[in-house]
Amino acid sequence: MIWTSFLSFHYVCYDIGMIRQRIKLRKMFALITLICSIVPFFLPIYYNNSDAEIYSYGPAVTYTFIIAPIYIIACIVLICVFKKQMNPYRSSSVMIWMLMESAGATFQLFNREILLISFTMALGITILYAKMENPDAGIDRKLGIYRIQMLQEYVQQLYEKNTQNASFVIISGLEYEKVTYSEDILMLEVANFLKSICKDMVFCGIGNDFIAAFPDEDTADKKISLITKRFDLGWTGEQLIHPHFISIPSMKLFKNSNEFFTAYRYYSNVVSDSHEEFFVIDQAALQNMENFRFMQSEIKNALREDRFEIFLQPIYSLKEQLFISAEALVRLRNCDGDIIMPNKFIPIAEATGQIEQIGERVFELVCKMIHDHDISSIGLKYIEINLSVVQCENIDLAPSFSKIMYKYGIDAKKINLEVTESSSIKQREILLENMAHLRKYGCTFSLDDFGTGESNLNYIVNMPVDLVKFDRTMILAYFSNEKAKIMLESVTEMIKRMGMRIVAEGVEEQYQLQQLEKLGIDYIQGYYFSRPIPISEFLDFVRRNNSSTSKI
């Protein structure tokens, strides 16, 4: 009884990291238990064997009933104190075991004819085995591979034993070219193949992911070519599967199991949105992940702390020879006061869904600027604001923007919204509804970066845009490539005949301005006039240049 109680206590201790690592302490407990278990042999023990009752009593029994409960109580206390650090299945099953054993001993103490102690011990161990130690509990019944919970324990053990030489191959995002056989049959075939090349160390991952574990560093890199070749051959029924392959060449890249699973979850999301077939989680990849997570947090904090700003780049009218508008461009100011450029945070904001909040914040900042400054008095007619693809597909875009314009009491004609031509705008009907609603309110629209997306003229035909903005790459090509020149001349003539105006972006030299003016371009935007600048500088720039009698 003393040793059974001690072993249950030892079992709980091993599940608590701070105790498990103190090997000398656990050995000391074992030595004390050994000594305590010898003592009863030197104490008297008596037996009652009557017709109604059979039990033992005396100093040896009393001693045992004092020592054994000490370990039982210690188990219950440890579980209550360190429950969050323990495996939930283990903590709950051991707690049931201890409570049953305590209840059995208490009941038997007052009802000696009913021998429950050994029964409750055996029943408690049976519950523990059924809940925690049953090998089938950790195996996926359909595929015959370990569940993800077993992967968590396996990785944890690698760090506990300081054996981080293992490597992994993750097969993620399985896509089927055609379905002629049951998906379960295909998955089973893949599972059996992976088990054959890594000694059954195959785990279920997130979703339909497979994770193959290898005992040595760099083995994953060697095996991945074998795995990819097998996938290229096809499976039952000539079924082709097109997954992404993630290689983890060494567990030494991670400080602990939490870092391993953080990287796995992060790159599982990355590969799902990627066309790349192979990914290697190395030091550079981990740094990219940290940069991503840092910027995600920085964006969240900047939205909360109002650290987004707008810079404005003037747009010059060749006909009026005045600056008549500007494009509002977002900037993020960090806690140190330094500016973070959009290329650093916009892709991350798009990936995390924060881009809508940023877009709405930019729109409000522009409306506030128009409200606070009489832009018409210095010759400005409107301000251009970029819309992200996510915003375009949001059914609440038009109501949200209308509400903001009403809040600041501005004329919607002073707002021009830039829509980028993109094949990724899946819900064009929503975009067109938003455009129709805002146009009724008074807003105008531009087709931004024309020539960098699908280059589909249907955008111009089907979308109610007032302006078409030629991308910088198109402008540069016009001056360096004869075919590009012919194409731009033809497109310009067509757009002009359709009654739309044209903005040329990225103009940096005077000769470019002169040639584009001859071509019939309406507006010029670029470093030739000004970089994007803060609001106060922009207003001074426009006021100074528009009031000048000389032409620029």
Side-chain angles (χ1 to χ4, degrees), residues 6-62:
F6 165 72
L7 290 173
S8 63
F9 171 77
H10 180 79
Y11 187 73
V12 171
C13 287
Y14 196 80
D15 205 34
I16 303 170
M18 60 183 296
I19 300 177
R20 179 176 60 250
Q21 295 169 4
R22 303 180 68 175
I23 299 174
K24 290 183 179 180
L25 179 63
R26 291 191 287 110
K27 286 184 176 179
M28 184 182 71
F29 285 147
L31 179 61
I32 293 172
T33 305
L34 177 62
I35 295 170
C36 290
S37 63
I38 293 173
V39 172
F41 289 97
F42 297 95
L43 297 175
I45 185 169
Y46 308 107
Y47 301 93
N48 177 69
N49 188 0
S50 65
D51 294 338
E53 299 177 338
I54 301 175
Y55 60 88
S56 57
Y57 64 97
V61 175
T62 303

Coordinates of all heavy atoms in Angstrom, one line a residue, residues 6-62:
F6 N 3.1 5.7 -3.1 CA 4.3 6.5 -3.5 C 4.4 6.6 -5.0 O 4.7 7.6 -5.6 CB 5.6 5.8 -2.9 CG 6.8 6.3 -3.6 CD1 7.3 7.6 -3.4 CD2 7.5 5.5 -4.5 CE1 8.4 8.1 -4.0 CE2 8.6 6.0 -5.2 CZ 9.1 7.3 -4.9
L7 N 4.1 5.4 -5.7 CA 4.3 5.4 -7.2 C 3.2 6.4 -7.8 O 3.5 7.0 -8.8 CB 4.1 4.0 -7.7 CG 5.3 3.1 -7.3 CD1 5.0 1.6 -7.8 CD2 6.6 3.5 -8.0
S8 N 2.1 6.5 -7.2 CA 1.1 7.4 -7.8 C 1.6 8.8 -7.6 O 1.5 9.7 -8.4 CB -0.3 7.2 -7.1 OG -0.2 7.5 -5.7
F9 N 2.2 9.1 -6.4 CA 2.8 10.4 -6.1 C 4.0 10.7 -7.1 O 4.1 11.8 -7.7 CB 3.3 10.4 -4.7 CG 4.2 11.6 -4.3 CD1 3.6 12.9 -4.1 CD2 5.6 11.5 -4.3 CE1 4.4 14.0 -3.8 CE2 6.3 12.6 -3.9 CZ 5.7 13.8 -3.7
H10 N 4.8 9.7 -7.4 CA 5.9 9.8 -8.3 C 5.4 10.1 -9.7 O 6.0 10.9 -10.5 CB 6.7 8.6 -8.3 CG 7.9 8.6 -9.2 ND1 9.1 9.2 -8.9 CD2 8.1 8.0 -10.5 CE1 9.9 9.1 -10.0 NE2 9.3 8.3 -10.9
Y11 N 4.3 9.4 -10.1 CA 3.7 9.6 -11.4 C 3.2 11.0 -11.6 O 3.4 11.6 -12.7 CB 2.5 8.6 -11.5 CG 1.8 8.5 -12.8 CD1 2.5 7.9 -13.9 CD2 0.6 9.1 -13.1 CE1 1.9 7.8 -15.1 CE2 0.0 9.0 -14.3 CZ 0.6 8.3 -15.3 OH 0.0 8.2 -16.5
V12 N 2.6 11.6 -10.6 CA 2.2 13.0 -10.7 C 3.4 14.0 -10.7 O 3.4 14.9 -11.5 CB 1.3 13.4 -9.4 CG1 1.0 14.9 -9.4 CG2 0.0 12.6 -9.5
C13 N 4.4 13.7 -9.9 CA 5.6 14.5 -9.9 C 6.2 14.6 -11.3 O 6.7 15.6 -11.7 CB 6.6 14.0 -8.9 SG 6.1 14.4 -7.2
Y14 N 6.3 13.5 -12.0 CA 6.9 13.4 -13.3 C 6.2 14.2 -14.3 O 6.8 14.6 -15.3 CB 7.0 12.0 -13.8 CG 8.0 11.8 -14.9 CD1 9.4 11.7 -14.6 CD2 7.6 11.7 -16.2 CE1 10.3 11.6 -15.6 CE2 8.5 11.6 -17.2 CZ 9.9 11.5 -16.9 OH 10.8 11.4 -18.0
D15 N 5.0 14.5 -14.1 CA 4.2 15.4 -15.1 C 4.4 16.9 -14.8 O 3.9 17.7 -15.6 CB 2.7 15.0 -15.0 CG 2.0 15.3 -16.3 OD1 2.7 15.1 -17.4 OD2 0.8 15.6 -16.3
I16 N 5.0 17.2 -13.7 CA 5.2 18.6 -13.4 C 6.7 19.0 -13.6 O 7.6 18.4 -13.0 CB 4.9 18.9 -11.9 CG1 3.4 18.5 -11.6 CG2 5.1 20.3 -11.5 CD1 3.0 18.5 -10.2
G17 N 6.9 19.8 -14.6 CA 8.3 20.1 -15.1 C 9.3 20.5 -14.0 O 10.4 19.9 -14.0
M18 N 8.9 21.4 -13.1 CA 9.9 21.9 -12.1 C 10.2 20.8 -11.1 O 11.3 20.9 -10.5 CB 9.3 23.1 -11.4 CG 8.0 22.8 -10.7 SD 7.3 24.3 -9.9 CE 8.6 24.7 -8.7
I19 N 9.4 19.8 -10.9 CA 9.7 18.7 -10.1 C 10.4 17.6 -10.8 O 11.4 17.0 -10.3 CB 8.5 18.1 -9.4 CG1 7.8 19.2 -8.6 CG2 8.8 16.9 -8.5 CD1 6.5 18.8 -7.9
R20 N 10.0 17.3 -12.1 CA 10.6 16.3 -12.9 C 12.1 16.5 -13.1 O 12.9 15.6 -13.1 CB 9.9 16.2 -14.2 CG 10.5 15.2 -15.2 CD 9.7 15.1 -16.5 NE 9.7 16.3 -17.2 CZ 8.6 17.1 -17.4 NH1 7.5 16.7 -16.8 NH2 8.7 18.2 -18.0
Q21 N 12.5 17.8 -13.2 CA 13.9 18.1 -13.5 C 14.8 17.9 -12.2 O 16.0 17.9 -12.3 CB 14.0 19.5 -14.0 CG 13.3 19.7 -15.3 CD 13.2 21.1 -15.8 OE1 13.7 22.0 -15.0 NE2 12.6 21.4 -16.9
R22 N 14.1 17.8 -11.1 CA 14.9 17.7 -9.8 C 15.0 16.2 -9.5 O 14.3 15.6 -8.6 CB 14.2 18.5 -8.7 CG 14.1 20.0 -9.0 CD 13.4 20.8 -7.9 NE 14.3 20.8 -6.7 CZ 14.0 21.6 -5.7 NH1 12.9 22.3 -5.6 NH2 14.8 21.6 -4.6
I23 N 15.9 15.5 -10.2 CA 16.1 14.1 -10.1 C 16.5 13.7 -8.6 O 16.0 12.7 -8.1 CB 17.1 13.6 -11.1 CG1 16.6 13.9 -12.5 CG2 17.3 12.1 -11.0 CD1 17.6 13.6 -13.6
K24 N 17.4 14.4 -8.0 CA 17.9 14.1 -6.7 C 16.7 14.1 -5.7 O 16.7 13.3 -4.8 CB 18.9 15.1 -6.3 CG 20.3 14.9 -7.0 CD 21.3 15.9 -6.5 CE 22.6 15.7 -7.3 NZ 23.7 16.6 -6.8
L25 N 15.8 15.1 -5.8 CA 14.7 15.2 -4.9 C 13.8 13.9 -5.1 O 13.3 13.4 -4.0 CB 13.9 16.4 -5.2 CG 12.6 16.7 -4.4 CD1 13.0 16.9 -2.9 CD2 11.8 17.9 -4.9
R26 N 13.5 13.5 -6.3 CA 12.7 12.3 -6.5 C 13.4 11.1 -6.0 O 12.7 10.2 -5.5 CB 12.3 12.2 -8.0 CG 11.4 13.3 -8.5 CD 10.8 13.1 -9.8 NE 11.8 13.2 -10.9 CZ 12.3 12.3 -11.6 NH1 11.9 11.0 -11.4 NH2 13.2 12.5 -12.6
K27 N 14.7 11.0 -6.1 CA 15.4 9.8 -5.6 C 15.3 9.8 -4.0 O 15.3 8.8 -3.4 CB 16.9 9.9 -6.0 CG 17.0 9.5 -7.5 CD 18.5 9.5 -7.9 CE 18.7 9.0 -9.3 NZ 20.1 9.0 -9.8
M28 N 15.4 11.0 -3.4 CA 15.3 11.1 -2.0 C 13.9 10.6 -1.5 O 13.8 9.9 -0.5 CB 15.5 12.5 -1.5 CG 15.5 12.7 0.0 SD 15.7 14.4 0.5 CE 14.1 15.1 0.0
F29 N 12.8 11.0 -2.2 CA 11.5 10.5 -1.9 C 11.5 9.0 -2.0 O 10.9 8.3 -1.1 CB 10.5 11.1 -2.9 CG 10.1 12.5 -2.6 CD1 9.8 13.4 -3.6 CD2 10.1 13.0 -1.3 CE1 9.5 14.7 -3.4 CE2 9.8 14.3 -1.1 CZ 9.5 15.2 -2.1
A30 N 12.1 8.4 -3.0 CA 12.1 6.9 -3.2 C 12.8 6.3 -2.0 O 12.4 5.2 -1.5 CB 12.7 6.6 -4.5
L31 N 14.0 6.9 -1.6 CA 14.7 6.3 -0.5 C 13.9 6.3 0.8 O 13.9 5.4 1.6 CB 16.1 7.1 -0.3 CG 17.0 6.6 0.8 CD1 17.4 5.1 0.6 CD2 18.2 7.5 0.9
I32 N 13.3 7.5 1.1 CA 12.4 7.6 2.3 C 11.3 6.6 2.3 O 11.0 5.9 3.3 CB 11.9 9.0 2.4 CG1 13.0 10.0 2.6 CG2 10.8 9.1 3.5 CD1 12.5 11.5 2.5
T33 N 10.7 6.4 1.1 CA 9.6 5.4 1.0 C 10.1 4.0 1.2 O 9.5 3.2 1.9 CB 9.0 5.5 -0.5 OG1 8.6 6.8 -0.7 CG2 7.8 4.5 -0.6
L34 N 11.3 3.7 0.7 CA 11.9 2.4 1.0 C 12.1 2.1 2.5 O 11.7 1.0 3.0 CB 13.3 2.3 0.3 CG 14.1 0.9 0.5 CD1 13.3 -0.2 -0.1 CD2 15.4 1.0 -0.2
I35 N 12.6 3.1 3.2 CA 12.8 3.0 4.6 C 11.4 2.8 5.3 O 11.2 1.9 6.2 CB 13.5 4.2 5.2 CG1 14.9 4.2 4.6 CG2 13.6 4.2 6.7 CD1 15.7 5.5 4.9
C36 N 10.5 3.7 4.9 CA 9.1 3.6 5.5 C 8.4 2.3 5.3 O 7.7 1.8 6.1 CB 8.2 4.7 5.0 SG 8.7 6.4 5.5
S37 N 8.7 1.7 4.1 CA 8.0 0.4 3.8 C 8.7 -0.8 4.5 O 8.1 -1.9 4.6 CB 8.1 0.2 2.3 OG 9.4 0.0 1.8
I38 N 9.9 -0.6 5.0 CA 10.5 -1.7 5.8 C 10.0 -1.7 7.2 O 9.9 -2.8 7.9 CB 12.1 -1.5 5.8 CG1 12.6 -1.7 4.3 CG2 12.8 -2.5 6.7 CD1 14.0 -1.4 4.2
V39 N 9.7 -0.6 7.8 CA 9.3 -0.4 9.2 C 8.2 -1.4 9.6 O 8.2 -2.0 10.6 CB 8.9 1.0 9.5 CG1 8.3 1.2 10.9 CG2 10.2 1.9 9.4
P40 N 7.1 -1.5 8.7 CA 5.9 -2.4 9.1 C 6.4 -3.8 9.4 O 5.7 -4.5 10.2 CB 5.0 -2.3 8.0 CG 5.3 -1.0 7.3 CD 6.7 -0.8 7.5
F41 N 7.4 -4.3 8.8 CA 7.9 -5.7 9.0 C 8.4 -5.9 10.5 O 8.5 -7.0 10.9 CB 8.9 -6.0 8.0 CG 8.4 -6.2 6.6 CD1 8.5 -5.1 5.7 CD2 7.8 -7.4 6.2 CE1 8.0 -5.3 4.4 CE2 7.3 -7.5 4.9 CZ 7.4 -6.5 4.0
F42 N 8.7 -4.8 11.1 CA 9.2 -4.9 12.5 C 8.1 -4.6 13.5 O 8.4 -4.5 14.7 CB 10.4 -4.0 12.7 CG 11.6 -4.4 11.8 CD1 11.8 -3.8 10.6 CD2 12.4 -5.4 12.2 CE1 12.8 -4.1 9.8 CE2 13.5 -5.7 11.4 CZ 13.7 -5.1 10.1
L43 N 6.9 -4.3 13.0 CA 5.8 -3.9 14.0 C 4.8 -5.1 14.0 O 4.6 -5.9 13.1 CB 5.1 -2.7 13.4 CG 5.9 -1.4 13.4 CD1 5.1 -0.3 12.8 CD2 6.4 -1.0 14.8
P44 N 4.2 -5.3 15.2 CA 3.3 -6.4 15.4 C 2.0 -6.2 14.4 O 1.6 -5.1 14.2 CB 2.8 -6.2 16.8 CG 3.9 -5.5 17.5 CD 4.4 -4.5 16.4
I45 N 1.5 -7.3 14.0 CA 0.3 -7.3 13.2 C -0.6 -8.5 13.6 O -0.1 -9.6 13.9 CB 0.6 -7.4 11.7 CG1 -0.7 -7.2 10.9 CG2 1.3 -8.7 11.3 CD1 -0.5 -7.0 9.4
Y46 N -1.9 -8.2 13.7 CA -2.8 -9.2 14.2 C -3.9 -9.4 13.2 O -4.2 -8.6 12.4 CB -3.4 -8.8 15.6 CG -2.3 -8.4 16.6 CD1 -2.1 -7.1 16.9 CD2 -1.5 -9.4 17.2 CE1 -1.2 -6.7 17.8 CE2 -0.5 -9.1 18.1 CZ -0.4 -7.7 18.4 OH 0.6 -7.4 19.3
Y47 N -4.6 -10.6 13.3 CA -5.6 -10.9 12.3 C -6.9 -11.4 13.0 O -6.8 -12.1 14.0 CB -5.2 -12.1 11.4 CG -3.9 -11.7 10.6 CD1 -2.7 -12.1 11.1 CD2 -4.0 -11.1 9.4 CE1 -1.5 -11.8 10.4 CE2 -2.8 -10.8 8.7 CZ -1.6 -11.1 9.2 OH -0.5 -10.8 8.5
N48 N -8.0 -10.9 12.5 CA -9.3 -11.4 13.0 C -9.9 -12.2 11.9 O -10.1 -11.8 10.7 CB -10.2 -10.2 13.3 CG -11.6 -10.6 13.7 OD1 -11.8 -11.2 14.8 ND2 -12.6 -10.4 12.9
N49 N -10.2 -13.5 12.2 CA -10.8 -14.4 11.2 C -12.0 -15.1 11.8 O -12.0 -16.2 12.3 CB -9.7 -15.4 10.9 CG -10.2 -16.3 9.7 OD1 -11.3 -16.1 9.2 ND2 -9.4 -17.3 9.3
S50 N -13.1 -14.3 11.8 CA -14.3 -14.8 12.4 C -15.3 -15.1 11.2 O -14.9 -14.9 10.0 CB -15.0 -13.8 13.3 OG -15.4 -12.6 12.5
D51 N -16.4 -15.7 11.5 CA -17.4 -16.0 10.4 C -17.8 -14.8 9.7 O -18.1 -14.8 8.5 CB -18.6 -16.7 11.0 CG -18.2 -18.1 11.6 OD1 -17.2 -18.6 11.2 OD2 -19.0 -18.6 12.5
A52 N -17.9 -13.6 10.4 CA -18.5 -12.4 9.7 C -17.4 -11.5 9.1 O -17.6 -10.8 8.2 CB -19.3 -11.6 10.7
E53 N -16.2 -11.5 9.7 CA -15.2 -10.6 9.4 C -13.8 -11.2 9.2 O -13.5 -12.1 10.0 CB -15.1 -9.4 10.4 CG -16.3 -8.6 10.5 CD -16.2 -7.6 11.6 OE1 -15.3 -7.7 12.5 OE2 -16.9 -6.6 11.6
I54 N -13.0 -10.7 8.2 CA -11.6 -11.1 8.1 C -10.9 -9.9 7.8 O -11.1 -9.2 6.8 CB -11.5 -12.1 6.9 CG1 -12.3 -13.4 7.0 CG2 -10.0 -12.5 6.7 CD1 -12.3 -14.3 5.9
Y55 N -10.0 -9.5 8.7 CA -9.2 -8.3 8.6 C -7.9 -8.3 9.4 O -7.8 -9.2 10.4 CB -10.0 -7.0 8.9 CG -10.5 -7.0 10.3 CD1 -9.8 -6.4 11.3 CD2 -11.8 -7.5 10.6 CE1 -10.2 -6.4 12.6 CE2 -12.3 -7.4 11.9 CZ -11.5 -6.8 12.9 OH -12.0 -6.8 14.2
S56 N -7.0 -7.4 9.1 CA -5.8 -7.3 9.9 C -5.8 -6.0 10.7 O -6.5 -5.1 10.4 CB -4.6 -7.3 9.0 OG -4.6 -6.2 8.1
Y57 N -5.1 -6.0 11.9 CA -5.1 -4.8 12.7 C -3.8 -4.8 13.5 O -3.0 -5.8 13.4 CB -6.3 -4.8 13.6 CG -6.4 -5.9 14.6 CD1 -6.0 -5.7 15.9 CD2 -7.0 -7.1 14.3 CE1 -6.1 -6.7 16.9 CE2 -7.0 -8.2 15.2 CZ -6.6 -8.0 16.5 OH -6.6 -9.0 17.4
G58 N -3.6 -3.8 14.3 CA -2.4 -3.7 15.1 C -1.5 -2.5 14.6 O -1.8 -1.8 13.7
P59 N -0.3 -2.4 15.3 CA 0.6 -1.3 15.0 C 1.0 -1.2 13.5 O 1.1 -0.1 13.0 CB 1.8 -1.5 15.9 CG 1.2 -2.3 17.1 CD 0.1 -3.2 16.5
A60 N 1.3 -2.3 12.9 CA 1.7 -2.3 11.5 C 0.6 -1.7 10.6 O 0.9 -0.9 9.6 CB 2.1 -3.7 11.0
V61 N -0.6 -2.1 10.8 CA -1.7 -1.6 10.0 C -1.9 -0.1 10.3 O -2.1 0.7 9.4 CB -3.0 -2.4 10.3 CG1 -4.2 -1.8 9.6 CG2 -2.9 -3.8 10.0
T62 N -1.9 0.3 11.6 CA -2.1 1.7 11.9 C -1.0 2.6 11.2 O -1.2 3.6 10.7 CB -2.0 1.9 13.4 OG1 -3.0 1.1 14.0 CG2 -2.2 3.3 13.8

